Amino acid sequence: MPYTAQKPPLRRSIEELKATIPGWGVDLDPADRPGVPNQPFAPELTGAHWDFPERQPETWPRERSIEHKFLTPVFGTSCPPEGLSGAIRKFAYAKYSEGRAAHWLLLVAADRVDVAESRITSLLQGKPDNIIGETGVQHEWKRHPLGSRFGKGRADLKHMWMDPLISMGPYLLMGYGAYSLYRAVSGSAGGLGAATARFRGGSADDRPAARAAASPRTARTRPAARGADDGAWPGDDERPRTRGRR
């Protein structure tokens, strides 16, 4: 059992381990160890006064690797997993071993999701992130931007062209997503209006004109005395014709 004061017993004998694992036990003999006698093994000098350390209480389910039988005696609680990023972290610990690449790729993805969640939360709280200030662009032109980068053998020059895309990419994607959503909603609203107009009779284009013509507010009530030929109002020819707005 791990975390005990003494070394836990081996599941297999030393002879069996030497026979199955090449190179196992090459430092069992103290004479073959470079650190001897400067690093003596003295269990009585460790100061351990317990056989198994007192365990920290687990107030909420803490994620752990599947290699471990139980949690370590002490663990951190300052950043509990929350939201979608927390669900991804829990899945990575519960499903994949630490020796699998999927375990660490999921944790990296959870970190990216956590950043997006934090930015959205700050925006909803009325305290959006300072996008320009966080990139450090404002200070680039004040602290020798060219002289401090070129000709100094800096390794970050290889990914310098990607930095603006990484920092501004999520915001551009969110803006494009909002624009696409607006287009989809507006298009569906227009299609719904056309379908309603066809159901009632007529098309979506002539329905507003027909309503305007039938409205008593916009209809012109002509007097009884009209021209016999063209139906013009009396005095229409004398009214000046103007272009544009009055």
Side-chain angles (χ1 to χ4, degrees):
M1 179 179 293
Y3 315 119
T4 56
Q6 300 294 332
K7 182 180 178 180
L10 298 176
R11 294 187 178 182
R12 293 186 291 177
S13 63
I14 296 178
E15 290 74 14
E16 184 180 359
L17 292 173
K18 286 182 178 181
T20 55
I21 303 177
W24 191 94
V26 294
D27 57 348
L28 286 178
D29 188 1
D32 297 335
R33 301 179 184 177
V36 176
N38 296 329
Q39 296 178 351
F41 178 71
E44 66 279 0
L45 301 178
T46 59
H49 57 279
W50 38 257
D51 181 65
F52 189 84
E54 182 180 357
R55 300 188 63 183
Q56 179 180 345
E58 185 179 0
T59 57
W60 45 272
R62 192 70 168 88
E63 62 276 3
R64 60 177 176 84
S65 301
I66 58 178
E67 292 89 351
H68 297 277
K69 185 177 180 180
F70 46 81
L71 283 174
T72 57
V74 179
F75 51 87
T77 58
S78 60
C79 300
E82 298 177 350
L84 179 60
S85 60
I88 296 175
R89 290 191 178 98
K90 292 180 179 179
F91 177 77
Y93 278 100
K95 182 68 176 180
Y96 298 102
S97 168
E98 293 185 2
R100 299 282 300 276
H103 175 88
W104 303 105
L105 290 177
L106 285 173
L107 293 181
V108 172
D111 292 341
R112 297 298 91 197
V113 174
D114 192 5
V115 171
E117 290 176 342
S118 300
R119 289 177 176 176
I120 294 175
T121 303
S122 301
L123 181 62
L124 296 178
Q125 292 178 352
K127 300 178 181 179
D129 296 340
N130 187 0
I131 305 175
I132 305 300
E134 292 177 357
T135 57
V137 177
Q138 298 174 342
H139 298 277
E140 286 289 337
W141 306 106
K142 300 178 182 180
R143 304 294 181 182
H144 310 287
L146 299 179
S148 61
R149 289 182 177 271
F150 298 98
K152 303 296 183 181
R154 293 180 55 170
D156 58 349
L157 292 179
K158 298 180 180 180
H159 61 79
M160 183 174 62
W161 64 274
M162 296 188 299
D163 294 343
L165 297 177
I166 295 175
S167 59
M168 300 299 297
Y171 296 98
L172 296 177
L173 291 177
M174 286 189 294
Y176 179 76
Y179 174 74
S180 301
L181 181 61
Y182 170 76
R183 290 289 302 273
V185 172
S186 60
S188 62
L192 181 60
T196 305
R198 287 194 298 268
F199 177 76
R200 293 180 178 179
S203 62
D205 296 333
D206 59 3
R207 295 292 294 177
R211 289 196 300 267
S215 176
R217 297 182 179 179
T218 57
R220 300 177 61 184
T221 305
R222 298 182 181 274
R226 295 189 304 175
D229 297 332
D230 56 356
W233 288 9
D236 281 350
D237 297 336
E238 291 78 12
R239 283 190 282 179
R241 299 181 180 274
T242 57
R243 300 179 64 183
R245 297 183 178 179
R246 294 182 179 179

